[in-house]
């Protein structure tokens, strides 16, 4: 018996052929099944469609399970958490080895680091937490990396200036992460619940700069990404520019250090209060104790105020390395 399929069926079949995602394919197959007249002549076709639908559904469920997987949470410590990401073998672990006293495995072959690992980088009276991670390429991303990046305060995207194409390394990571709803950007922005995209403050580091003698590769990277991101070149191996890298990491976090002092005593430079840039006297007091902030009458500020020991109100905006004396 001929199948006698209506034109809408062929329309749905065309949509199936042109579908880019499994979800679209599934939708088109379901339509084909719904449109198809149900009689003996279409029995085989119906069975075939049902089989294809069930296969796609199973694949989608499998993907969901994999995405859920287990997640890894790295407890935050210090003034901020920054995760280093990038293609395999670019020197992420080597950079962390230079900046902290951790001893991650560094090796001349790709996919050395398979688990995230945190280490503390001392920087001018504070500690910043760096997280080493497993490699990302244009088509490889360990699913737990998504949580690590989303949870971090900032990202360092490392590229290898001794490789043929560091631009491809940056581009591949940006694209892959965007597919997982992570947008690496210069400016911090809240996640819009309508699209669920996390915007992460990012800087680019071109490593192995000593292999890029003429600076040609870094020049190309800078030309392409220098407007969209802070960008710096270093050689972790030769310890070139690593102090500037530390400063840039601090800047990337958008934080400031506020030292506190008791009346008549010297400031405590060892344990500053960490605030977001633009933080006020009241916010600094809140970091110490809720009641303290509530009872605060005024403060005196040394540093960027008009004059040393200037009396200021609770809403006075502080600056990096100001010294504050609270009065309750
Ligand atoms: N010439 C040169 N080699 C470097 C530099 N930094 C790292 N390397 C070398 O590059 C190789 C890879 O370094 P790793 O730190 O293991 O790279 P990774 O990005 O952590 O690699 P995965 O863990 O596989 O993602 C090692 O052989 C390092 O010694 C550098 O500044 N210059
Ligand atoms: Mg590594």
């Amino acid at each position: 018996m001929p199948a006698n399929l209506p034109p809408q069926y062929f329309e749905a079949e065309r949509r199936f052929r042109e579908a880019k995602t499994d979800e679209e394919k599934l939708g088109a197959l379901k339509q084909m099944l719904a449109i198809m007249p149900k009689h003996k002549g279409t029995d085989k076709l119906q069975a075939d469609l049902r089989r294809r639908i069930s296969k796609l559904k199973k694949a989608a469920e499998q993907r969901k399970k994999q995405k859920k997987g287990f997640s890894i949470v790295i407890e935050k410590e210090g003034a901020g958490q920054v995760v280093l990401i990038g293609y395999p073998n670019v020197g992420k672990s080597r950079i962390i080895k230079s900046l902290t006293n951790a001893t991650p495995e560094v090796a001349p072959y790709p996919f050395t680091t398979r688990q995230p690992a945190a280490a503390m980088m001392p920087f001018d009276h504070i500690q910043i937490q760096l997280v080493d991670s497993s490699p990302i390429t244009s088509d490889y991303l360990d699913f737990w990396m998504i949580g690590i990046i989303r949870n971090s305060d900032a990202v360092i995207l490392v590229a290898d200036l001794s490789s043929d194409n560091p631009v491809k390394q940056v581009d591949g990571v940006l694209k892959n992460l965007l597919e997982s709803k992570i947008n690496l950007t210069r400016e911090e922005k809240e996640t819009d619940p309508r699209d669920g995209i996390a915007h992460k403050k990012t800087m680019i580091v071109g490593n192995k700069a000593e292999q890029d003698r003429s600076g040609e590769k870094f020049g190309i990277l800078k030309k392409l990404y220098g407007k969209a991101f802070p960008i710096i070149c270093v050689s972790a191996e030769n310890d070139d520019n690593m102090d500037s890298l530390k400063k840039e990491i601090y800047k990337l976090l958008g934080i400031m250090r506020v030292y506190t002092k008791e009346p008549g005593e010297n400031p405590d430079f060892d344990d500053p209060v960490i605030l977001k840039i633009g933080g006020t006297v009241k916010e600094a007091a809140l970091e110490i104790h809720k009641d303290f902030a509530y009872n605060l009458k005024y403060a005196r500020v040394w540093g960027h105020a008009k004059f040393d020991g200037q009396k200021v109100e609770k809403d006075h905006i502080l600056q990096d390395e100001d010294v504050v004396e609270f009065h309750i």
Side-chain angles (χ1 to χ4, degrees):
M1 198 187 275
N4 280 339
L5 298 168
Q8 294 94 320
Y9 176 88
F10 296 104
E11 177 60 22
E13 195 178 38
R14 188 182 57 78
R15 271 202 297 281
F16 173 77
R17 278 197 308 274
E18 288 170 3
K20 292 211 172 55
T21 66
D22 280 358
E23 278 67 28
E24 283 168 14
K25 280 184 192 160
L26 196 57
L29 286 177
K30 280 182 179 167
Q31 266 181 343
M32 283 155 71
L33 185 63
I35 291 163
M36 183 181 294
K38 311 286 184 301
H39 55 68
K40 264 226 154 334
T42 61
D43 269 0
K44 258 183 99 173
L45 264 177
Q46 282 186 58
D48 182 49
L49 277 178
R50 289 210 172 87
R51 194 180 45 76
R52 285 156 79 189
I53 288 172
S54 123
K55 209 169 145 191
L56 272 177
K57 270 189 182 159
K58 264 195 200 133
E61 267 162 31
Q62 189 66 27
R63 263 203 313 280
K64 239 190 202 163
K65 261 192 216 150
Q66 267 173 6
K67 263 197 184 156
K68 272 189 195 156
F70 61 92
S71 61
I72 303 175
V73 178
I74 304 232
E75 289 290 329
K76 287 192 181 177
E77 266 184 69
Q81 186 187 71
V82 183
V83 53
L84 278 83
I85 63 170
Y87 264 53
N89 219 38
V90 296
K92 302 177 290 297
S93 302
R94 183 67 185 82
I95 292 173
I96 289 191
K97 200 173 162 189
S98 286
L99 298 179
T100 71
N101 52 24
T103 52
E105 196 182 345
V106 173
Y109 46 81
F111 291 90
T112 306
T113 308
R114 307 308 306 240
Q115 297 282 325
M120 302 307 287
M121 174 183 90
F123 175 78
D124 278 2
H125 310 297
I126 61 169
Q127 303 265 337
I128 294 171
Q129 187 183 39
L130 301 183
V131 180
D132 196 1
S133 69
S134 71
I136 304 175
T137 71
S138 55
D139 52 17
Y140 183 87
L141 172 66
D142 282 324
F143 60 87
W144 48 262
M145 283 287 291
I146 297 169
I148 297 270
I149 298 172
R150 287 186 86 105
N151 189 47
S152 71
D153 297 314
V155 172
I156 296 176
L157 173 45
V158 185
D160 180 350
L161 297 176
S162 77
S163 72
D164 293 343
N165 196 347
V167 166
K168 198 178 109 196
Q169 296 179 340
V170 171
D171 193 55
V173 172
L174 292 178
K175 284 196 177 129
N176 194 342
L177 286 181
L178 202 53
E179 277 172 27
S180 291
K181 299 206 170 196
I182 297 174
N183 174 35
L184 301 186
T185 132
R186 171 172 223 129
E187 298 303 331
E188 231 176 70
K189 210 166 84 181
E190 287 285 308
T191 297
D192 182 337
R194 283 170 300 186
D195 60 22
I197 295 176
H199 304 274
K200 283 288 148 187
K201 225 171 157 199
T202 300
M203 71 180 281
I204 295 177
V205 173
N207 185 34
K208 313 194 191 180
E210 93 285 355
Q211 303 286 323
D212 180 29
R213 287 247 171 80
S214 59
E216 184 201 357
K217 295 212 169 113
F218 184 65
I220 298 171
L221 261 192
K222 199 167 174 180
K223 201 164 163 216
L224 276 172
Y225 297 107
K227 282 216 177 76
F229 300 96
I231 181 165
I232 179 176
C233 66
V234 302
S235 166
E237 199 70 44
N238 287 7
D239 204 28
D240 288 342
N241 231 6
M242 295 301 276
D243 275 335
S244 309
L245 174 58
K246 280 191 197 178
K247 286 195 193 109
E248 288 297 321
I249 294 174
Y250 175 70
K251 261 171 50 189
L252 184 68
L253 283 168
I255 52 175
M256 57 183 190
R257 296 151 291 182
V258 173
Y259 307 109
T260 55
K261 79 182 269 309
E262 299 282 340
E265 287 184 25
N266 285 328
D268 176 6
F269 287 117
D270 292 331
D271 189 19
V273 169
I274 304 295
L275 294 180
K276 280 266 157 207
I277 285 175
T280 61
V281 165
K282 188 181 172 189
E283 280 162 333
L286 267 173
E287 286 295 311
I288 295 169
H289 198 276
K290 215 163 73 191
D291 292 346
F292 193 65
Y294 184 74
N295 293 324
L296 186 67
K297 291 206 177 65
Y298 68 94
R300 289 191 185 281
V301 177
W302 285 256
H304 296 87
K306 280 206 192 86
F307 52 86
D308 270 357
Q310 187 187 343
K311 194 171 160 182
V312 296
E313 299 294 320
K314 283 183 184 189
D315 60 359
H316 175 80
I317 291 175
L318 292 164
Q319 308 225 8
D320 195 18
E321 302 216 80
D322 273 351
V323 173
V324 183
E325 183 182 277
F326 297 107
H327 290 264
I328 51 172

